[in-house]
Amino acid sequence: MRQNDIINTFLSQLKEDSDEYKNLEVSNDMEEKKKAIRSLMNIRMPKTIPDKLLNAQNLYLQEESALKGTVSLTEIPNISKQYNSNHSFADRISIWQGDITRLCTGAIVNAANSQMLGCFVPCHRCIDNAIHSAAGMQLREECNHIMNQKRNQYGTQYEEPVGTAILTDSYNLPCDYVIHTVGPIVYDGLTESLRQDLRNCYENVLNCCMDNRITSVAFCCISTGEFHFPNEEAAKIAVETVTNFLNSNMNYNIHRIIFNVFKDTDRTIYEKILGAA
């Protein structure tokens, strides 16, 4: 099936699935169709996914993944090889700049919100939106199932606390798992409590990896950007927490921890902290 046919089929199925957007008009431009597809996926509430829609989605997302290309661990040097860093775990740590949804790691980390259902804002540029959009609608379904179980246990107003780590499948992503963590939001200045919340995010993700025998993980820049945690301070906490965890768990044979950055400024910060600049 040609790419245009895959796009048209999935868009048609998404429109048919929506009561509100059944008659949505989209131009014949391929990029506009892709934008409409992502928007309709983003706003779709968690509910059963018909097989026909699911098959069309998986075919589309797998084609998109192939077009973007995946990145294996062998293509990402550690900081010892790339920068000649003398960090105590330089052979296990990497800095990689790019789209986290391309990584063939054991897990990637999603900076989630407390509702744990992904981002509902069409085509929003946050990492939560990017990961859910690339994984597929099944990811929201699984997250909703987890949250419903927790609401049954803790009450209907339950929201996921800051600093926990929730493991899900990865669906159409090339990684094995997604680990979701809710980072702290900085409103009126940085406090020690907020710093500890961020430490908890990194530590609990690593504990989740250890518990599930995951040997490679890619961290996004948790709580920066939309959550307003200062980038340099967040990076210092990330590196310090990872280093302390590795020192405290010498028997855990994790092969690679990747600090995934998207902006040049974040790459420069991590290079400086890790002795790679």
Side-chain angles (χ1 to χ4, degrees), residues 186 189-191 194-195 198 222-225 227-237 266 269:
V186 178
L190 203 54
T191 64
L194 290 169
R195 291 186 179 93
L198 189 58
I222 303 167
S223 279
T224 59
F227 283 16
H228 308 299
F229 209 105
N231 294 51
E232 188 161 358
E233 185 70 16
K236 287 178 181 177
I237 289 170
D266 286 316
I269 289 169

Side-chain angles (χ1 to χ4, degrees), residues 104-138:
C104 300
T105 50
I108 62 172
V109 176
N110 178 31
N113 59 53
S114 61
Q115 298 298 316
M116 277 289 295
L117 297 179
C119 173
F120 284 87
V121 179
C123 299
H124 194 249
R125 293 177 63 84
C126 69
I127 195 163
D128 198 14
N129 190 299
I131 288 174
H132 274 263
S133 297
M137 295 176 286
Q138 306 101 302

Side-chain angles (χ1 to χ4, degrees), residues 41 76 88 138 191:
M41 290 174 68
I76 304 175
S88 54
Q138 306 101 302
T191 64

Side-chain angles (χ1 to χ4, degrees), residues 163-230:
T164 63
I166 303 296
L167 184 76
T168 66
D169 203 344
S170 59
Y171 301 101
N172 290 286
L173 291 162
C175 57
D176 296 326
Y177 299 100
V178 179
I179 302 175
H180 309 259
T181 188
V182 181
I185 302 174
V186 178
Y187 291 108
D188 300 314
L190 203 54
T191 64
E192 182 53 35
S193 177
L194 290 169
R195 291 186 179 93
Q196 186 57 50
D197 285 340
L198 189 58
R199 291 186 195 104
N200 291 341
C201 289
Y202 284 92
E203 186 171 347
N204 284 325
V205 166
L206 289 168
N207 276 317
C208 180
C209 288
M210 187 164 61
D211 291 344
N212 291 278
R213 299 181 180 180
I214 295 168
T215 59
S216 60
V217 60
F219 281 102
C220 61
C221 298
I222 303 167
S223 279
T224 59
E226 297 287 323
F227 283 16
H228 308 299
F229 209 105

Side-chain angles (χ1 to χ4, degrees), residues 59-70:
L59 189 60
Y60 170 77
L61 290 179
Q62 288 159 20
E63 178 75 10
E64 287 296 292
S65 179
L67 288 170
K68 286 193 299 185
T70 58

